[in-house]
């Protein structure tokens, strides 16, 4: 009889432990800097949907999704780099409206969607103005190889640019339509490129294929900067590319250390709220 009661007690302890042991490993992927005092974390969206909240899409903030730690914005690793800026802006705007004004999620969400529309139209205008000011370019690579032989030696870039990312080391970073680049200019363009490698990329620019994931974005940028710097110094493409790949690997290892240093993630009992919780410290 004593053995029976002992087994029952142990089962109860095991069930209780399982209930409270709701920590999740391998959730965080890439720390993408700080925005407005918030850490922008690219997380494994599939893991979030499977183990935390099945309706998680694109991103999240701590006002709507209580499972998002305070001070963090989560971005689904599966979204493209073309959607990244709009998604970050959406989450920050939605969070601030719920925290500062006590707005409902639906109202803050709709406001953030309207913000996205404004950003998309503004980016389109910037890109068209940029293309209109560019000189013609050669549809060739560093070896002067033309992959679409029917193209003239000088072409105009048309409807290629999608999103201005910013500048790094004096270089302009742009998200471009990789499909159209491969279709109309150079079929072997993939992931990203720079002006030293491809003659159709204007001077002092780095291009990111809009189809790559936001998770790969920073790695591609750092790789292109390294490759371009080495090619400008006289290195061959092969040597520069090999070194750039090595630098990207180091970057991945450094990011892995940051991820592993993040405090263990524990799922809270309450996952979401429909109305903002006003934060007295919200500016």
């Amino acid at each position: 009889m004593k053995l029976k009661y002992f087994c029952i007690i142990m089962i109860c302890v095991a069930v209780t432990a399982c209930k409270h042991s709701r920590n999740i490993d391998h959730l965080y992927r890439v720390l993408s800097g700080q925005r407005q005092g918030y850490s922008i974390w690219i997380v494994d969206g599939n893991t979030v949907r499977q183990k935390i909240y099945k309706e998680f899409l694109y991103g999240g903030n701590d006002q709507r999704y209580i499972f998002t730690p305070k001070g963090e914005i989560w971005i689904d690793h599966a979204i493209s780099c073309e959607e990244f800026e709009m998604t970050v802006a959406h989450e920050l705007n939605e969070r601030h409206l719920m925290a500062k004004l006590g707005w409902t999620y639906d109202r803050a969400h709709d406001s953030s969607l309207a913000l996205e529309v404004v950003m998309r139209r503004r980016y389109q205008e910037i890109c068209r103005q940029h293309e209109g000011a560019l000189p013609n370019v050669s549809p060739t690579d560093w070896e002067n190889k033309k992959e679409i032989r029917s193209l003239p030696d000088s072409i105009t870039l048309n409807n290629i640019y999608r999103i201005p990312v910013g500048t790094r080391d004096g270089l302009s970073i742009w998200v471009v339509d990789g499909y159209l680049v491969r279709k109309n200019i150079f079929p072997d363009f993939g992931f990203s490129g720079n002006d030293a490698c491809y003659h159709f990329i204007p001077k002092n620019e780095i291009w990111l294929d809009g189809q790559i994931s936001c998770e790969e974005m920073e790695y591609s940028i750092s790789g292109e900067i390294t490759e371009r710097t080495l090619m400008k110094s006289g290195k061959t493409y092969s040597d520069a590319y090999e070194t750039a790949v090595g630098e990207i690997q180091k970057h991945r290892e450094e990011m892995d250390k940051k991820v592993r240093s993040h405090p263990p993630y524990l799922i809270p009992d309450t996952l979401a709220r429909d109305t903002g919780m006003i934060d007295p410290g919200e500016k």
Side-chain angles (χ1 to χ4, degrees):
M1 186 67 77
K2 288 183 178 180
L3 179 61
K4 178 180 178 180
Y5 285 125
F6 176 77
C7 291
I8 292 174
I9 291 172
M10 291 306 293
I11 291 172
C12 291
V13 170
V15 169
T16 301
C18 289
K19 181 179 179 181
H20 292 287
S21 179
R22 304 178 70 201
N23 58 309
I24 295 180
D25 297 322
H26 312 299
L27 175 64
Y28 292 90
R29 307 288 288 256
V30 172
L31 177 60
S32 186
Q34 298 278 326
R35 301 283 184 93
Q36 300 178 23
Y38 292 85
S39 297
I40 310 300
W41 277 101
I42 296 173
V43 298
D44 190 318
N46 182 57
T47 296
V48 176
R49 285 182 285 276
Q50 282 191 335
K51 298 184 178 181
I52 306 176
Y53 194 80
K54 64 182 180 181
E55 297 179 21
F56 177 79
L57 294 173
Y58 276 76
N61 62 79
D62 65 321
Q63 278 288 314
R64 167 57 174 170
Y65 297 133
I66 301 172
F67 60 80
T68 303
K70 192 172 180 62
E72 294 183 7
I73 296 294
W74 282 8
I75 305 296
D76 190 330
H77 77 296
I79 71 167
S80 69
C81 66
E82 186 170 356
E83 291 294 325
F84 182 72
E85 287 298 326
M86 275 74 70
T87 305
V88 171
H90 178 119
E91 295 303 329
L92 286 170
N93 185 67
E94 181 179 282
R95 189 216 170 273
H96 294 331
L97 290 174
M98 293 180 73
K100 184 175 182 178
L101 303 178
W103 282 18
T104 63
Y105 163 69
D106 287 340
R107 186 181 180 189
H109 180 69
D110 287 346
S111 172
S112 300
L113 291 176
L115 173 63
E116 285 191 40
V117 172
V118 172
M119 292 177 67
R120 294 177 196 281
R121 291 175 177 173
R122 177 56 180 157
Y123 286 152
Q124 183 180 39
E125 180 184 352
I126 291 172
C127 289
R128 298 295 79 80
Q129 288 178 355
H130 181 66
E131 283 183 339
L134 289 173
N136 282 10
V137 294
S138 172
T140 58
D141 63 7
W142 75 98
E143 296 179 307
N144 291 316
K145 178 182 178 181
K146 184 192 295 184
E147 292 193 333
I148 302 179
R149 296 184 180 278
S150 60
L151 289 176
D153 294 336
S154 179
I155 63 171
T156 300
L157 296 178
N158 182 35
N159 202 31
I160 295 298
Y161 292 82
R162 290 291 177 265
I163 305 289
V165 176
T167 59
R168 305 280 181 87
D169 296 347
L171 304 172
S172 297
I173 316 295
W174 294 86
V175 174
V176 299
D177 190 323
Y179 175 84
L180 288 182
V181 174
R182 288 183 286 276
K183 173 178 174 288
N184 297 327
I185 302 175
F186 204 83
D188 201 27
F189 175 79
F191 259 54
S192 55
N194 62 79
D195 60 327
C197 182
Y198 297 117
H199 296 157
F200 53 83
I201 297 181
K203 185 178 179 181
N204 297 326
E205 288 189 10
I206 286 175
W207 285 5
L208 303 175
D209 187 335
Q211 296 182 35
I212 69 172
S213 71
C214 60
E215 183 176 7
E216 288 295 322
M217 191 171 173
E218 286 300 321
Y219 300 128
S220 291
I221 292 173
S222 65
E224 293 300 334
I225 290 175
T226 298
E227 181 182 281
R228 180 187 185 278
T229 299
L230 292 173
M231 291 184 71
K232 289 291 186 180
S233 71
K235 295 288 186 180
T236 64
Y237 168 76
S238 296
D239 289 343
Y241 175 77
E242 184 176 346
T243 301
V245 170
E247 288 299 313
I248 290 174
Q249 183 58 33
K250 291 180 182 178
H251 193 174
R252 293 185 193 279
E253 292 170 358
E254 291 170 357
M255 185 59 66
D256 185 57
K257 291 180 181 178
K258 289 182 181 179
V259 169
R260 285 188 278 110
S261 68
H262 190 283
Y265 179 78
L266 185 66
I267 307 176
D269 292 331
T270 304
L271 298 178
R273 64 165 64 95
D274 293 324
T275 302
M277 181 71 70
I278 294 180
D279 182 353
E282 185 74 11
K283 296 180 180 180

